[in-house]
Amino acid sequence: MLGHGFMGGAHSRALAALRWLEDDPAATPRLVSICGRDRTSVERARRRWGWESVELDWQRQATDDRVTLFDNAGPNALHLGPTLAAIAAGKHVLCEKPLGRTAREARTLRDAARDAGIVHMCGFNLRFLPAVRLARELVDAGAVGEPTHFRARFLASSALSPDQRRTWRFHRRGAGSGAVADLGSHIVDLARYLAGEPVAVSAVAKTFVATRDDRPVDVDDAFAAVVEFGNGAVGTLEASRAAGRRAGECAFDLDGTLGSLSFDVERLNALDLIQASKERRRIEVTAPEHPFMQLWWPAPGHPIGWGDSFVHELRHLLSAIATPSAVAPHGADFEDGYRAALVCDAILEAAHTRRRVEVAPS
Amino acid sequence: MLGHGFMGGAHSRALAALRWLEDDPAATPRLVSICGRDRTSVERARRRWGWESVELDWQRQATDDRVTLFDNAGPNALHLGPTLAAIAAGKHVLCEKPLGRTAREARTLRDAARDAGIVHMCGFNLRFLPAVRLARELVDAGAVGEPTHFRARFLASSALSPDQRRTWRFHRRGAGSGAVADLGSHIVDLARYLAGEPVAVSAVAKTFVATRDDRPVDVDDAFAAVVEFGNGAVGTLEASRAAGRRAGECAFDLDGTLGSLSFDVERLNALDLIQASKERRRIEVTAPEHPFMQLWWPAPGHPIGWGDSFVHELRHLLSAIATPSAVAPHGADFEDGYRAALVCDAILEAAHTRRRVEVAPS
Amino acid sequence: MLGHGFMGGAHSRALAALRWLEDDPAATPRLVSICGRDRTSVERARRRWGWESVELDWQRQATDDRVTLFDNAGPNALHLGPTLAAIAAGKHVLCEKPLGRTAREARTLRDAARDAGIVHMCGFNLRFLPAVRLARELVDAGAVGEPTHFRARFLASSALSPDQRRTWRFHRRGAGSGAVADLGSHIVDLARYLAGEPVAVSAVAKTFVATRDDRPVDVDDAFAAVVEFGNGAVGTLEASRAAGRRAGECAFDLDGTLGSLSFDVERLNALDLIQASKERRRIEVTAPEHPFMQLWWPAPGHPIGWGDSFVHELRHLLSAIATPSAVAPHGADFEDGYRAALVCDAILEAAHTRRRVEVAPS
Amino acid sequence: MLGHGFMGGAHSRALAALRWLEDDPAATPRLVSICGRDRTSVERARRRWGWESVELDWQRQATDDRVTLFDNAGPNALHLGPTLAAIAAGKHVLCEKPLGRTAREARTLRDAARDAGIVHMCGFNLRFLPAVRLARELVDAGAVGEPTHFRARFLASSALSPDQRRTWRFHRRGAGSGAVADLGSHIVDLARYLAGEPVAVSAVAKTFVATRDDRPVDVDDAFAAVVEFGNGAVGTLEASRAAGRRAGECAFDLDGTLGSLSFDVERLNALDLIQASKERRRIEVTAPEHPFMQLWWPAPGHPIGWGDSFVHELRHLLSAIATPSAVAPHGADFEDGYRAALVCDAILEAAHTRRRVEVAPS
């Protein structure tokens, strides 16, 4: 694994937790090495999370013979190079979202992964919340009919203070974009997973604090977009890290010709389904009778948390490697990562040019 | 009063209810006449709602000497002519939303009302839900700081069935537009009341059922818009009568540099205020300690309903006539009706031309 | 009508609102007289609420030839005498809850009403919230099976301050009891309406502030009771006017062998039904497709408020008088008022004697 | 560890997860052995959860020199013997709730643990939900003033079906009692943790299905109790495994002279605080600014699940062993386990004798 920050911890914990889902310990992953720049920090992460060795050079890690799966939980600027190197060495790869800082980077990764024939996954962990998976199953089963609307928002307020430092998340070279890459990519992926392929966007983006640490902020703090889907549905996507005092509010609605679905992270274990006017069914997804719940830890019937989504994600990936089987449609592969990046780039271009922009895959 | 449908009933009831708010019955309005085309229906409405006489000719009603206030609760196509006639006769006027089928109609009414010096109000009753009023008071008091985001949605599903008849709400001549005029104008007004003046919009609109009764539907069933405000805030507005099985879901969020507000009609008597990360204060607006609650019926402390908003609205108008005092800022006057219409027209033009459109008052 | 306080206003407004539900104004009630002790206050109430005349002597009002229905909205101590007088004069009667200060008083009224053959109603207005009525319809239709549990709470905090004055609600002569009579009688009636007849109770009661205005408080501020029903269900009832800072929280749950129901006044227009584990259906009772919703004002589809329950209640009563038909089972008659009083007395006795008390009707 | 069912898994996972909270892996526990009767099942649990060895004889495990902490996650009937043996061998002990099948068993364990001077904990994991801990911190800080009311309910429906088998949870020898021991002990502990010491109870208990597998069910399926606290507060406690179709609904309210608190497991990450009438503050407990949140995994700011409570619980225990420091007041020790058992026994006796029963510690 590359990276030892928040995502490094989330992935490490999930990898270890996988043993509870397997009867055969041989089937659980060996944690070969963790990689970062600062030896002291990486060593602390190694000890805490149980990795066997420390690595300071991602090039060496990516080509290490002991490594089967390269898990890139590093910052956005390190998604392209190390992941490419690992693919070139024939490793399976998991790369955190966004797949690239730009759609061009994402396409390079998609192409390389496809050509190499390895198993590839992009870390859109929201797909692995049971309520989101149930939403997709209901859509597939026709519960909402033909989509007419999709709306999603992901709202935080971490960037409202001018005193917030100019970390890599606040410049284009480090992050690609701001709220678009960090929060927006998540809801773009949900839109694609649940409502269909976006074909055009109109958007506005804002940077509310223009300089930090006396240097310019050249990425967005927030965006709002109108989306047209290939199937005729329309919708809105909105993400912000300048939304009052909201702290990670993430919610979506899907409407169709036969019904509606609503989800809010604040109620992580529930999905709302409306199939009759004035009647909202709240489905607690912890019910053991849902087939795909039988896989998840902890015991069916009890609420799970955000962290559990990573356990489900890693299990899905390892199972795709072992079987072998496709990561898609329930996991996001590099094709999904690329297509999400295309929509993100279209949003940024629409905001910049103040024009409607068509999403053009290539 | 002109009109005897849903709005006619809502206004009639509110007018009668006003007597509970006054010690002096002389201060309560006399219900002179109710006007419509079909004598039998109007006569039934007259009896039921307590009007003194039936009128079949709005021209005569608008110039009736006994009439002080002309209450136009008729369909959109009858907003312009009868209201103009009443203004010309020196009556005070209340006109249901949207003020006109187009911004041009609305401007004509705004100009006439302004020049005549009469008291004029546009029926945006959502402003008279106590929670909405409290939101504005909190904004004025600086509780959320400078606005950064406003988002609102008004979602219904009445137009999803192809069997729904082609009433006047489904053609331009009758309604001006579809979801934009009917639902969108409400949330455009909320945006203006709470977040500031919109200066540009990008939008998409959809007509999901193209023909009804074998005739074309030339208005929108739904729209989604990105809005830029003059103060730098950005937001989304979305209204639909094709939203799955939703039945009148109406909600908004306002975010600013110091805090956030959220309201949902499903919780008509509450407003959520977030001034610290991870802490949401739900304020029940029925509390008697809120000064402006002391006006409302029924007794402070008990939940009110949608219908009570009209009581508050009519009382505000009659008080403005009696005092006299300005309808704005807490009531919407014809200037507000006109400016909302400008934004609605900009949304329709943006959707039609697929371009960003600036809102240009004149 | 006797009384011109909160309940006087609620009933007056409801009586006037009835005209919106009738095509024939002749069918709507004439408001003959309003009665109270203080001429100035009663005169103000008369003007405001539209009564024809003022009456200072309830004895005369109760026997007034113009009066068909005697509406007793006065304080608890005036429930017995004036209502008995009206019954003796052959009037139909509506008496606010609790029917008597004691079960003995309630029985006297029940017996007199029954013997006189007049139409009698006890003002348990919660039965006329559409969600509560829907709950009963669902129970009757077998939606929850055989009841196993009923729990209800009615929580306020009006009596926590020692500075609260010693009004008639704080002594036995004026009120009969405290939280038991004022709030508890409501949820006892809901228990009977929805779950069945209580046969035994164990309880505790508390008076948190022992003296007010230097005089003793000889009624309870709060009680909690365990209830056994004749059908084998068990439950809890709890009411308080010393519950922290809660302001009128009122909620109940009913569980049965096949499902569960939940209601909370905070969501006045919704009822929750659970018929499958992990799936909660929230039914918005404003849906026009519910047969009994077609009666209510305002227009189906829009949220109603607390005050509307009185409109429904008065309409039900007037309809029972006109048809004629039984007030029960959906309205509470004096038999219901008496039986609720029996349970209230049993709760008080159980709390006083610290023993389980059987509810013994006579 | 003794036991390899649901609780065995929950504890095992938590023990392994502890390494993420420690910089020093030497500080994380070694998982010596897991014990059960059926070798095949235990061996599978051992592999899956990472224990070093399998043990079939709890006597040997309890006296194993390698064991420092004996974790008893076995069924109720195995709480007394094995835990006593471990104490006798000088081990620290964690025993699942209820501490004993009866207060007598619990007292024996309390006395032995106290006399042996070892660290002892009873597994009331609800105390380790951050919202519950925050509730206690707020109480200690005076946020609700003097308690006036406490009410709690824990509602399931697992026992409504007559086809449910007669496992050990359905007879006294196996479980001590039914809903009282399984669900009731949790809310009794919450009552003690948050509101104070119960001094008397009145109660009713029910067994809705009298025989299973053609043998009698001699424990309760449900109970409801009125509780009097030593500090003058009163309240209700209710637990059921026959509550319609509810699936683990667990909620409590605390009211005091200055405010109110409410918690519902359905919103695991939030606590409601009411300090002003009509204003409810929902505190998301994932906020990093709460000092005690800095301990919890996963990263502050993201929702946690039920399973995380065990991580917090085990960490608290291991820290008490290492420091050494007291398990109480934030963890439950055997004194707490015993006192909860006293209240449970009083509830059962009150239900059986139909009398108010005083809680008499010894």
Side-chain angles (χ1 to χ4, degrees):
Chain A
M1 171 155 56
L2 173 65
H4 55 278
F6 170 63
M7 274 302 158
H11 286 213
S12 296
R13 177 176 182 268
L15 285 164
L18 286 174
R19 65 181 314 149
W20 284 284
L21 301 169
E22 304 293 344
D23 279 352
D24 179 6
T28 60
R30 182 180 151 205
L31 305 186
V32 174
S33 65
I34 185 165
C35 179
R37 269 189 306 193
D38 176 60
R39 179 175 291 278
T40 311
S41 311
V42 187
E43 174 56 27
R44 191 168 50 225
R46 186 198 68 73
R47 280 204 315 268
R48 180 175 283 210
W49 299 335
W51 293 85
E52 296 177 12
S53 57
V54 155
E55 187 61 79
L56 298 180
D57 174 1
W58 56 256
Q59 190 68 49
R60 216 163 62 190
Q61 188 185 41
T63 54
D64 186 332
D65 279 352
R66 300 170 302 170
V67 169
T68 310
L69 168 65
F70 184 78
D71 180 347
N72 190 338
N76 297 5
L78 286 181
H79 287 184
L80 183 64
T83 307
L84 271 184
I87 293 171
K91 314 301 189 193
H92 304 299
V93 285
L94 167 59
C95 183
E96 258 306 315
K97 40 64 56 181
L99 185 53
R101 283 170 297 187
T102 61
R104 179 186 296 262
E105 284 192 0
R107 191 181 57 205
T108 303
L109 285 166
R110 190 270 316 254
D111 291 348
R114 195 173 54 187
D115 295 350
I118 49 88
V119 175
H120 42 97
M121 188 185 224
C122 182
F124 287 119
N125 68 300
L126 286 168
R127 290 188 181 211
F128 292 96
L129 293 173
V132 174
R133 170 70 175 265
L134 176 60
R136 169 67 185 247
E137 306 248 351
L138 287 169
V139 169
D140 286 349
V144 300
E146 294 302 309
T148 55
H149 300 290
F150 181 81
R151 68 193 68 83
R153 53 193 180 280
F154 204 150
L155 304 172
S157 49
S158 49
L160 263 178
S161 166
D163 300 332
Q164 157 71 40
R165 304 298 305 271
R166 187 178 175 271
T167 66
W168 64 264
R169 293 192 181 278
F170 288 94
H171 53 78
R172 199 175 304 156
R173 196 177 50 76
S177 60
V180 171
D182 188 23
L183 308 173
S185 62
H186 270 303
I187 56 178
V188 164
D189 182 63
L190 289 179
R192 294 186 59 254
Y193 184 50
L194 297 170
E197 208 63 57
V199 293
V201 298
S202 304
V204 61
K206 294 288 291 188
T207 305
F208 290 102
V209 179
T211 61
R212 294 181 187 277
D213 299 340
D214 296 326
R215 300 173 65 190
V217 172
D218 60 355
V219 294
D220 59 292
D221 284 334
F223 80 93
V226 165
V227 181
E228 300 165 52
F229 292 87
N231 54 20
V234 295
T236 54
L237 298 176
E238 188 177 1
S240 175
R241 44 193 192 195
R245 288 293 178 274
R246 300 187 194 273
E249 293 188 18
C250 179
F252 68 78
D253 299 315
L254 174 67
D255 300 317
T257 50
L258 297 177
S260 297
L261 290 170
S262 288
F263 172 74
D264 191 323
V265 162
E266 202 196 356
R267 289 184 169 275
L268 195 69
N269 291 276
L271 181 72
D272 283 1
L273 169 64
I274 310 174
Q275 288 181 304
S277 180
K278 298 286 177 190
E279 190 169 315
R280 179 179 281 252
R281 289 161 61 195
R282 172 151 294 162
I283 306 170
E284 293 289 326
V285 292
T286 49
E289 51 269 33
H290 292 131
F292 58 93
M293 274 306 296
Q294 293 167 18
L295 307 176
W296 319 101
W297 201 97
H302 293 78
I304 69 164
W306 181 266
D308 295 299
S309 66
F310 297 102
V311 182
H312 308 157
E313 177 181 305
L314 268 297
R315 185 174 207 268
H316 186 81
L317 174 59
L318 293 180
S319 167
I321 292 172
T323 315
S325 59
V327 162
H330 293 304
D333 61 16
F334 277 18
E335 181 69 27
D336 293 304
Y338 164 57
R339 286 181 176 266
L342 275 175
V343 179
C344 287
D345 274 14
I347 288 170
L348 291 165
E349 185 189 339
H352 185 64
T353 62
R354 301 185 157 189
R355 290 179 173 281
R356 176 178 179 270
V357 171
E358 297 194 2
V359 180
S362 58
Chain B
M1 172 155 56
L2 173 64
H4 56 278
F6 169 63
M7 273 304 158
H11 286 212
S12 297
R13 177 177 183 266
L15 285 164
L18 286 174
R19 65 180 313 149
W20 285 283
L21 300 169
E22 304 294 344
D23 279 352
D24 179 7
T28 61
R30 181 179 152 207
L31 306 187
V32 173
S33 65
I34 184 164
C35 178
R37 271 189 306 193
D38 178 60
R39 178 175 292 277
T40 311
S41 311
V42 186
E43 173 57 26
R44 191 170 50 226
R46 186 198 68 73
R47 280 204 315 269
R48 181 176 283 211
W49 299 334
W51 293 85
E52 297 177 11
S53 58
V54 156
E55 188 60 78
L56 298 180
D57 175 0
W58 56 254
Q59 191 67 50
R60 216 163 60 189
Q61 188 185 40
T63 54
D64 186 331
D65 280 351
R66 299 170 302 169
V67 169
T68 310
L69 167 66
F70 184 77
D71 180 348
N72 190 338
N76 297 3
L78 286 181
H79 286 184
L80 183 64
T83 307
L84 271 185
I87 293 171
K91 314 299 188 196
H92 303 301
V93 285
L94 166 59
C95 183
E96 257 307 312
K97 41 64 56 182
L99 184 53
R101 284 170 297 186
T102 61
R104 178 186 297 261
E105 285 191 1
R107 191 183 56 205
T108 303
L109 285 166
R110 190 268 319 252
D111 291 347
R114 194 173 53 186
D115 295 349
I118 48 88
V119 175
H120 42 98
M121 186 184 226
C122 182
F124 287 119
N125 67 301
L126 286 168
R127 290 188 182 211
F128 292 95
L129 293 173
V132 175
R133 170 69 177 265
L134 176 61
R136 168 68 185 245
E137 306 249 352
L138 287 169
V139 169
D140 287 348
V144 300
E146 294 302 310
T148 56
H149 300 290
F150 181 80
R151 70 192 68 83
R153 53 194 179 280
F154 204 151
L155 304 172
S157 49
S158 49
L160 262 178
S161 166
D163 300 333
Q164 158 72 39
R165 305 298 305 271
R166 187 178 175 272
T167 67
W168 63 265
R169 293 193 180 278
F170 289 92
H171 53 80
R172 198 175 305 156
R173 195 178 50 76
S177 60
V180 170
D182 189 23
L183 307 173
S185 63
H186 270 303
I187 56 177
V188 164
D189 182 63
L190 289 180
R192 293 186 60 255
Y193 184 50
L194 297 170
E197 208 63 57
V199 293
V201 297
S202 304
V204 61
K206 294 288 290 188
T207 306
F208 291 102
V209 179
T211 61
R212 296 182 186 277
D213 300 340
D214 296 326
R215 300 173 65 190
V217 172
D218 60 356
V219 294
D220 59 292
D221 284 333
F223 80 93
V226 165
V227 181
E228 301 164 53
F229 293 86
N231 54 20
V234 295
T236 54
L237 298 176
E238 189 177 0
S240 176
R241 45 194 193 194
R245 288 294 179 274
R246 301 188 193 271
E249 293 188 16
C250 180
F252 69 77
D253 300 315
L254 173 66
D255 300 316
T257 49
L258 297 177
S260 297
L261 290 170
S262 289
F263 172 73
D264 191 323
V265 163
E266 202 195 356
R267 288 185 170 274
L268 195 69
N269 291 276
L271 180 72
D272 283 2
L273 169 64
I274 310 174
Q275 287 181 304
S277 179
K278 298 286 177 189
E279 191 169 313
R280 179 178 282 252
R281 289 161 61 194
R282 171 151 293 162
I283 306 169
E284 293 290 326
V285 292
T286 49
E289 51 268 33
H290 292 131
F292 58 93
M293 275 304 297
Q294 294 167 17
L295 308 176
W296 319 104
W297 201 96
H302 294 78
I304 69 163
W306 180 268
D308 295 300
S309 66
F310 297 102
V311 182
H312 309 158
E313 177 182 305
L314 268 297
R315 183 174 208 269
H316 186 81
L317 173 59
L318 293 180
S319 167
I321 291 172
T323 313
S325 60
V327 163
H330 293 304
D333 60 17
F334 278 17
E335 179 69 27
D336 293 303
Y338 165 57
R339 286 182 176 267
L342 275 176
V343 179
C344 287
D345 274 15
I347 288 170
L348 291 165
E349 184 188 341
H352 186 64
T353 62
R354 300 185 159 190
R355 290 178 174 281
R356 176 178 180 271
V357 170
E358 297 193 0
V359 180
S362 58
Chain C
M1 170 154 58
L2 173 66
H4 56 277
F6 170 63
M7 273 305 158
H11 285 212
S12 296
R13 178 178 183 266
L15 285 164
L18 286 174
R19 65 180 312 148
W20 285 283
L21 300 169
E22 303 293 344
D23 280 352
D24 180 7
T28 60
R30 181 179 152 206
L31 305 187
V32 173
S33 65
I34 184 165
C35 178
R37 270 189 306 193
D38 177 60
R39 179 176 291 278
T40 311
S41 312
V42 186
E43 174 56 26
R44 191 169 51 225
R46 186 198 68 73
R47 280 205 315 271
R48 181 175 282 212
W49 300 334
W51 293 86
E52 297 177 12
S53 57
V54 156
E55 188 62 78
L56 298 180
D57 174 359
W58 57 256
Q59 189 68 48
R60 215 163 60 190
Q61 188 186 41
T63 54
D64 186 331
D65 279 351
R66 300 170 302 169
V67 169
T68 311
L69 168 66
F70 184 78
D71 180 348
N72 190 337
N76 297 3
L78 286 181
H79 287 185
L80 182 64
T83 307
L84 271 184
I87 293 171
K91 314 300 188 192
H92 304 301
V93 284
L94 167 59
C95 182
E96 258 308 313
K97 41 66 51 182
L99 184 54
R101 284 172 296 187
T102 60
R104 177 187 296 263
E105 284 191 1
R107 191 181 58 205
T108 303
L109 285 165
R110 190 270 316 256
D111 291 348
R114 195 173 53 187
D115 296 348
I118 49 88
V119 176
H120 42 97
M121 186 184 226
C122 181
F124 288 119
N125 68 301
L126 286 169
R127 291 188 180 211
F128 292 95
L129 293 173
V132 174
R133 171 69 177 264
L134 176 60
R136 169 65 185 248
E137 306 250 351
L138 287 170
V139 169
D140 286 349
V144 300
E146 295 302 310
T148 54
H149 300 291
F150 181 80
R151 70 193 66 85
R153 53 194 179 280
F154 205 150
L155 304 172
S157 48
S158 50
L160 262 177
S161 165
D163 300 332
Q164 157 72 40
R165 304 299 303 271
R166 186 177 175 275
T167 66
W168 63 265
R169 293 192 181 280
F170 289 92
H171 53 79
R172 199 175 302 156
R173 196 179 48 76
S177 59
V180 170
D182 188 23
L183 307 173
S185 63
H186 270 303
I187 55 177
V188 163
D189 182 63
L190 290 179
R192 294 187 59 256
Y193 184 49
L194 297 170
E197 208 64 57
V199 294
V201 297
S202 304
V204 61
K206 294 287 290 187
T207 305
F208 291 101
V209 179
T211 61
R212 295 181 186 277
D213 300 340
D214 296 326
R215 299 172 63 191
V217 172
D218 60 356
V219 293
D220 58 292
D221 284 332
F223 79 92
V226 165
V227 180
E228 301 165 52
F229 293 86
N231 55 21
V234 294
T236 54
L237 298 176
E238 188 177 0
S240 176
R241 45 193 192 194
R245 288 294 178 274
R246 301 187 193 272
E249 293 187 19
C250 178
F252 69 77
D253 300 314
L254 173 67
D255 300 315
T257 50
L258 298 177
S260 296
L261 290 169
S262 288
F263 172 73
D264 191 322
V265 162
E266 201 196 359
R267 288 183 170 275
L268 194 69
N269 290 275
L271 180 71
D272 283 1
L273 170 63
I274 309 174
Q275 287 181 304
S277 180
K278 297 286 178 189
E279 191 170 313
R280 179 179 282 251
R281 290 161 61 195
R282 172 151 294 162
I283 305 169
E284 293 289 327
V285 292
T286 50
E289 52 269 33
H290 291 131
F292 58 92
M293 274 306 295
Q294 294 167 18
L295 307 177
W296 319 104
W297 202 97
H302 294 78
I304 68 163
W306 181 267
D308 295 299
S309 65
F310 296 103
V311 182
H312 308 157
E313 176 182 305
L314 267 297
R315 184 175 208 266
H316 186 82
L317 173 58
L318 293 180
S319 168
I321 292 172
T323 316
S325 59
V327 162
H330 293 304
D333 61 16
F334 277 18
E335 179 70 26
D336 293 304
Y338 164 56
R339 285 182 176 267
L342 275 175
V343 179
C344 287
D345 274 15
I347 288 170
L348 291 165
E349 184 188 340
H352 185 66
T353 62
R354 302 185 158 189
R355 291 178 172 280
R356 176 177 178 272
V357 170
E358 297 194 2
V359 180
S362 56
Chain D
M1 170 155 59
L2 172 65
H4 57 278
F6 169 64
M7 272 305 159
H11 286 212
S12 296
R13 178 178 182 264
L15 286 164
L18 286 174
R19 65 181 311 149
W20 284 283
L21 299 170
E22 303 294 344
D23 280 352
D24 179 6
T28 60
R30 182 178 151 207
L31 306 186
V32 173
S33 65
I34 184 164
C35 178
R37 270 188 306 192
D38 177 59
R39 178 174 291 277
T40 311
S41 311
V42 186
E43 173 56 26
R44 192 169 49 226
R46 186 198 68 74
R47 280 205 315 270
R48 181 174 282 212
W49 300 333
W51 293 85
E52 296 176 13
S53 57
V54 156
E55 188 62 77
L56 298 181
D57 175 0
W58 56 256
Q59 190 67 49
R60 216 162 62 188
Q61 189 186 40
T63 54
D64 187 331
D65 280 351
R66 299 170 304 169
V67 169
T68 310
L69 168 65
F70 185 78
D71 180 348
N72 190 339
N76 297 4
L78 286 181
H79 286 184
L80 182 65
T83 306
L84 271 185
I87 292 171
K91 314 300 187 192
H92 303 301
V93 285
L94 167 59
C95 183
E96 258 307 313
K97 40 64 55 181
L99 185 54
R101 284 171 297 187
T102 60
R104 178 187 295 263
E105 284 192 1
R107 191 181 58 205
T108 302
L109 285 166
R110 191 268 316 254
D111 291 347
R114 194 172 54 186
D115 295 349
I118 49 89
V119 176
H120 42 97
M121 186 185 225
C122 183
F124 287 119
N125 68 300
L126 286 169
R127 291 187 180 211
F128 292 95
L129 293 173
V132 175
R133 171 69 177 264
L134 176 60
R136 169 66 185 248
E137 306 250 351
L138 287 169
V139 169
D140 286 348
V144 300
E146 294 303 310
T148 55
H149 300 292
F150 181 81
R151 71 193 66 84
R153 53 195 179 280
F154 204 150
L155 304 171
S157 49
S158 50
L160 263 177
S161 165
D163 300 332
Q164 157 72 39
R165 304 300 304 273
R166 186 177 176 275
T167 65
W168 62 265
R169 293 193 180 279
F170 289 94
H171 53 78
R172 199 175 304 158
R173 196 179 47 77
S177 60
V180 170
D182 189 22
L183 307 173
S185 63
H186 270 303
I187 55 177
V188 164
D189 183 63
L190 289 178
R192 294 187 59 256
Y193 184 49
L194 297 170
E197 208 64 57
V199 293
V201 297
S202 304
V204 60
K206 293 287 291 188
T207 304
F208 291 100
V209 179
T211 61
R212 295 182 186 275
D213 300 341
D214 296 326
R215 300 171 65 189
V217 172
D218 60 356
V219 294
D220 59 293
D221 284 333
F223 79 93
V226 165
V227 180
E228 300 165 53
F229 292 87
N231 54 20
V234 295
T236 54
L237 298 176
E238 188 177 1
S240 176
R241 46 193 192 194
R245 287 294 178 274
R246 302 187 193 273
E249 293 187 18
C250 179
F252 69 78
D253 299 315
L254 173 67
D255 300 317
T257 49
L258 298 176
S260 296
L261 290 170
S262 287
F263 172 74
D264 191 322
V265 162
E266 201 196 357
R267 288 185 172 273
L268 195 68
N269 290 274
L271 180 72
D272 283 1
L273 169 64
I274 309 174
Q275 287 180 304
S277 180
K278 297 287 179 188
E279 191 170 314
R280 179 180 283 252
R281 291 160 61 194
R282 171 152 294 161
I283 305 170
E284 293 289 327
V285 292
T286 50
E289 52 268 33
H290 292 130
F292 58 93
M293 274 304 296
Q294 292 166 19
L295 308 176
W296 318 102
W297 201 98
H302 294 78
I304 67 163
W306 180 268
D308 295 300
S309 65
F310 297 102
V311 182
H312 308 158
E313 176 181 306
L314 268 296
R315 184 174 206 267
H316 186 82
L317 173 59
L318 292 179
S319 168
I321 292 172
T323 314
S325 59
V327 162
H330 293 304
D333 60 16
F334 277 17
E335 179 70 26
D336 293 303
Y338 164 57
R339 285 182 176 267
L342 275 177
V343 178
C344 288
D345 274 14
I347 288 170
L348 291 165
E349 184 188 342
H352 185 65
T353 61
R354 301 184 158 189
R355 290 178 172 281
R356 176 177 178 273
V357 170
E358 297 194 2
V359 180
S362 56

